[in-house]
Amino acid sequence: METPARTRVSAYAIATTADQLLLTRLSDASPVFAPGLWHLPGGGIDPGEQPRQALAREVYEETGLELLDARLVGARSYAAHRLGVHWHLVGLFYVATLAPGPLRITEQDGSTGAVRWLPRSGLTPATLSPAARDGLALLTAPDEPAGPLAPTPDGPAARDAPTPRS
């Protein structure tokens, strides 16, 4: 019998300065995405917590920086399997403004192993988590739908469009 997928809703910060993107490296404690990948600061929204509050908490835990402003720019859904758990992850993506300061991880034994400002031009898809790849894409084309269920110019998603009748 297959176990049902666990659902997790997360909030992610897309923070840039000049040509750099703020990223965290996933540690072995990462519950959803593979360790070693660069990922956006952010994480799971606790029960009863508002998404922006979760974003501010997660950004501080993973970077040591204070969230000053955040604007929702997109949402994406992921299916993953890690450590014997099937995940359905919904990610909320925010373009974030952060207070300046030194980078430091304030959460002990969490899913973040490192934090860095990295040049956007040097990032490759193979080194990024799926969420980080989508966050980067949202910076360049925020209005572009992603995935196979993207709406067509005529209306519903192509896969969901009614079959023409003869």
Side-chain angles (χ1 to χ4, degrees):
M1 179 174 164
E2 189 172 320
T3 58
R6 289 179 56 186
T7 299
R8 179 178 180 150
V9 180
S10 295
Y12 296 115
I14 305 169
T16 61
T17 180
D19 181 41
Q20 295 184 321
L21 179 65
L22 183 60
L23 292 170
T24 60
R25 179 165 274 168
L26 295 171
S27 72
D28 289 337
S30 172
V32 179
F33 298 120
L37 294 175
W38 288 102
H39 190 56
L40 294 172
I45 299 170
D46 292 337
E49 189 175 35
Q50 294 302 313
R52 196 172 185 287
Q53 291 172 323
L55 183 66
R57 175 182 52 77
E58 289 282 347
V59 164
Y60 181 76
E61 288 173 357
E62 296 177 0
T63 71
L65 301 178
E66 177 187 356
L67 179 70
L68 298 177
D69 191 35
R71 181 176 51 88
L72 183 66
V73 294
R76 299 290 184 266
S77 179
Y78 307 91
H81 184 264
R82 174 148 164 72
L83 302 175
V85 177
H86 293 279
W87 289 98
H88 171 236
L89 174 70
V90 176
L92 306 176
F93 294 84
Y94 292 83
V95 169
T97 303
L98 306 176
L103 296 177
R104 69 189 197 301
I105 301 167
T106 66
E107 177 186 46
Q108 299 302 313
D109 303 319
S111 62
T112 301
V115 58
R116 304 267 187 286
W117 288 101
L118 295 173
R120 287 170 51 184
S121 59
L123 299 175
T124 62
T127 63
L128 299 174
S129 72
R133 287 192 302 263
D134 284 346
L136 192 57
L138 284 166
L139 279 177
T140 56
D143 296 327
E144 289 295 316
L149 296 181
T152 63
D154 303 330
R159 187 165 96 187
D160 297 336
T163 306
R165 294 187 178 163
S166 25

